[in-house]
Amino acid sequence: MSRQLTVIGTGVIGNGWIARALAQGWDVVAFDPDPKAPARTRSFIENAWSSLQQLGLADSASQTRLRFVDNIEKAVIGADLIQENVPERLELKREMLATLDAAAEAHVIIGSSTSGFKPSDLQRDCKNAPGRVIVAHPFNPVYLLPLVELVGGDATRTNHTDIAQVLYKDLAMRPLLVRKEIEGHLADRLMEALWREALHLVNDGVATTEEIDAAVVYGCGLRWPLMGTFLTFHLAGGEQGMRHMLEQFGPALKLPWTKLEAPELTDELIDRVVEGCEHQAAGRPVAELDRRRDDFLVELLGLVQKYWPEAEGLKGRI
């Protein structure tokens, strides 16, 4: 029996959800008030499809299983899972989620792709079944990267997150249940710390955007896909592992090596960052860079699964 994903909002993230669901053999119903949305979405999927083919399509996968509707009430009919992707403004998301909660059957999970807001804040105006409104935060490109952070709010119960985990696994995703709601969840808080430090280094003239990216690509970034942060440092301690690493390098954490506050985004800093990125892009359009990134990720996901067999479902069907 096929499942249906309802997608509300078809920007980059919404379209990523659509592409992933189609590749896994789901039906997709989409709603976006922009009349140009259907054409934009189909172009997006066409660009992503070759990478999805490399990753492994479900037998029933088809781009033809997508249809757009012209209102919320039609969009939620028959949904097994609803994914909200409207712009990152709290009041707008609250309004949309309250509308979805009122329109959808009470048992249907409603996931918000928010990268920062807490689920209790998102649930506030939902009157029908607020507990099923949860954070389901993916990572771009959604159709390739398997992580989805699931966060429940005050009204959420274990059965809601249990059902959500099953559904997202059926989309060949790796659900990560976040124990405690916090702004930015887990992964974005880690990425933002690195991002703030990188902006300081550019702002202070220590390095260019290209040099900072090289430091990640050829250094720490090569270790992170397999081991993450803690296991990488565990190995840095030698035979004694993390305990020795903390004894040896722990005192350095007190040194003023990092600047956790974000620098002011002055016109000068913005220009430096933009000019640096444009130099790195070397005139290549974003669609071309997307395909290059996607080809890399397909191969990388295969390597992660080869060396970390516990990472079920990262490449192809679960």
Side-chain angles (χ1 to χ4, degrees):
M1 184 179 68
S2 64
R3 293 191 188 274
Q4 177 186 309
L5 175 68
T6 291
V7 174
I8 307 298
T10 58
V12 171
I13 299 301
N15 283 337
W17 281 113
I18 291 172
R20 174 174 282 273
L22 293 174
Q24 297 304 319
W26 286 42
D27 295 316
V28 180
V29 177
F31 169 75
D32 192 306
D34 185 350
K36 296 180 181 178
R40 186 176 60 233
T41 294
R42 296 185 195 284
S43 176
F44 181 100
I45 294 168
E46 184 65 32
N47 194 53
W49 204 251
S50 62
S51 294
L52 288 164
Q53 288 175 318
Q54 294 178 60
L55 198 62
L57 298 174
D59 292 339
S60 54
S62 173
Q63 297 182 48
T64 64
R65 300 185 73 161
L66 165 67
R67 63 186 176 90
F68 273 78
V69 294
D70 58 9
N71 63 57
I72 296 293
E73 288 70 24
K74 291 179 183 177
V76 301
I77 295 173
D80 293 287
L81 176 64
I82 300 170
Q83 193 72 29
E84 170 273 310
N85 313 278
V86 302
E88 195 78 351
R89 299 198 298 273
L90 182 56
E91 290 305 320
L92 178 61
K93 283 188 176 289
R94 277 179 177 158
E95 181 180 355
M96 177 55 72
L97 290 167
T99 300
L100 290 168
D101 177 56
E105 294 185 43
H107 69 278
V108 179
I109 297 296
I110 302 173
S112 173
S113 294
T114 180
S115 60
F117 299 131
K118 295 192 293 186
S120 293
D121 293 333
L122 298 174
Q123 295 172 347
R124 193 187 69 179
D125 297 332
C126 297
K127 307 300 182 186
N128 183 20
R132 48 77 176 268
V133 177
I134 64 172
V135 166
H137 175 231
F139 296 83
N140 186 44
V142 181
Y143 52 90
L144 294 183
L145 296 184
L147 183 64
V148 57
E149 296 176 316
L150 302 182
V151 196
D154 289 339
T156 303
R157 300 294 176 260
T158 302
N159 67 299
H160 296 122
T161 51
D162 286 347
I163 293 169
Q165 288 185 79
V166 170
L167 290 166
Y168 287 106
K169 283 182 179 179
D170 196 53
L171 285 169
M173 301 201 80
R174 203 291 194 183
L176 175 61
L177 189 60
V178 179
R179 297 167 179 265
K180 182 178 180 180
E181 58 179 324
I182 186 174
E183 291 88 349
H185 325 311
L186 298 184
D188 270 6
R189 294 180 74 92
L190 298 173
M191 290 189 295
E192 284 292 327
L194 180 62
W195 173 234
R196 287 191 293 270
E197 188 64 23
L199 287 175
H200 274 294
L201 292 171
V202 172
N203 192 51
D204 296 344
V206 175
T208 66
T209 61
E210 188 169 12
E211 290 162 351
I212 291 169
D213 283 352
V216 174
V217 170
Y218 299 108
C220 52
L222 286 174
R223 299 176 298 187
W224 284 343
L226 180 64
M227 295 186 173
T229 303
F230 282 97
L231 193 56
T232 293
F233 281 131
H234 178 65
L235 269 62
E239 290 299 323
Q240 298 177 55
M242 178 60 81
R243 185 170 300 279
H244 179 65
M245 197 287 295
L246 289 174
E247 290 172 352
Q248 184 171 1
F249 298 105
L253 295 174
K254 298 294 186 181
L255 298 176
W257 283 2
T258 59
K259 301 178 179 180
L260 294 181
E261 293 288 334
E264 182 181 353
L265 281 178
T266 62
D267 290 341
E268 181 181 4
L269 176 55
I270 291 172
D271 288 343
R272 283 190 191 180
V273 172
V274 171
E275 289 167 7
C277 291
E278 289 176 348
H279 173 74
Q280 289 176 257
R284 291 169 292 186
V286 169
E288 179 183 335
L289 295 173
D290 279 346
R291 287 192 297 272
R292 180 171 178 262
R293 174 204 63 196
D294 291 355
D295 289 343
F296 171 80
L297 286 174
V298 168
E299 293 188 42
L300 183 60
L301 286 169
L303 282 173
V304 170
Q305 190 162 18
K306 176 181 177 181
Y307 288 95
W308 188 16
E310 296 86 351
E312 295 182 14
L314 297 188
K315 190 174 189 298
R317 294 286 288 171
I318 294 176

